[in-house]
Amino acid sequence: MSTDPFAPHTLFGFPIFITLLAGHEAHREPLRQHILGLKQRFPGVVRSNRHAWHSGAEWAQHPSEHVAWLIEKATKFGHRALGRYHEDWARTELKLAGCWANVLGHGGWNAPHHHAPTHWSGVYYVAVGALPTEAGDYSGMIEFLNPNPALALLGQSGNYVHPPKDGLLIIFPASVTHFVHPRFADDERISIAFNFSVVPRP
């Protein structure tokens, strides 16, 4: 991981930004309890989630100061990281275009999908639970699919897998197809996903 949190990683010719949010420890348990409480009360919706819970309208109807903390942190980080791609925000601004929670238990996964037509997407790991211990075991990990096989000529022919970690934030282009590998631990992996749009300043 780069020592500069706003330096982009190269992902199939696209930038991806990865950082560990400072102060995440204080919000981990409140966020976990808030999300699991909603999961117990509401059935959620089906999107890319398979054998997993995805929050629905109840997410916006039951706000949390800890979710607000995350959105503020993610927006500030995104604003600084993405400024070099958007004229340093001279005539545009970054707007939240959606936010939801995900809970993956045993056998839960997310099918390949993208978040277009929004511009940027992200995931924040609240509590990742047990992690794989064997090499090559991608259980519960996010994988970004290479959109262009011709990139093999540049040594970028493979997909990109990144392990989750409590407090980790990843921002990536919304059009990049990605999925989450099936998770076979007995505990739950809890995350919050979101989309950003770049819009003209009023």
Side-chain angles (χ1 to χ4, degrees):
M1 189 175 295
S2 172
T3 56
D4 177 3
F6 304 106
H9 301 251
T10 300
L11 177 64
F12 317 133
F14 300 106
I16 179 172
F17 303 89
I18 305 170
T19 191
L20 194 66
L21 289 188
H24 70 89
E25 300 90 345
H27 298 272
R28 178 187 181 278
E29 190 58 24
L31 276 172
R32 193 181 77 86
Q33 292 293 339
H34 175 65
I35 293 169
L36 291 180
L38 292 177
K39 179 177 178 288
Q40 289 180 344
R41 295 168 57 193
F42 301 98
V45 298
V46 177
R47 296 292 185 263
S48 67
N49 50 309
R50 303 291 185 266
H51 308 291
W53 184 79
H54 180 305
S55 64
E58 72 281 353
W59 181 247
Q61 295 167 355
H62 295 79
S64 161
E65 63 180 289
H66 302 283
V67 175
W69 166 84
L70 168 61
I71 296 304
E72 180 183 9
K73 286 283 190 178
T75 304
K76 286 183 177 179
F77 176 78
H79 188 274
R80 290 192 62 182
L82 301 173
R84 71 192 71 186
Y85 299 97
H86 298 284
E87 303 177 32
D88 202 21
W89 309 114
R91 293 187 292 273
T92 56
E93 60 182 329
L94 196 66
K95 287 286 190 180
L96 183 70
C99 180
W100 62 96
N102 298 288
V103 180
L104 271 64
H106 186 88
W109 62 293
N110 287 85
H113 64 287
H114 59 75
H115 297 217
T118 54
H119 300 124
W120 298 92
S121 294
V123 59
Y124 172 76
Y125 295 102
V126 176
V128 302
L131 294 172
T133 57
E134 297 182 9
D137 183 356
Y138 298 147
S139 174
M141 295 187 187
I142 189 169
E143 181 164 345
F144 298 91
L145 302 184
N146 190 333
N148 184 1
L151 288 175
L153 298 174
L154 303 177
Q156 299 181 41
S157 59
N159 297 334
Y160 177 72
V161 181
H162 199 87
K165 182 177 181 179
D166 289 5
L168 192 73
L169 172 70
I170 303 176
I171 294 180
F172 53 92
S175 59
V176 174
T177 299
H178 55 285
F179 71 99
V180 177
H181 286 263
R183 192 171 183 279
F184 297 108
D186 291 329
D187 56 7
E188 294 175 305
R189 197 208 71 174
I190 302 170
S191 63
I192 297 173
F194 50 88
N195 291 324
F196 285 123
S197 289
V198 179
V199 299
R201 286 188 178 275

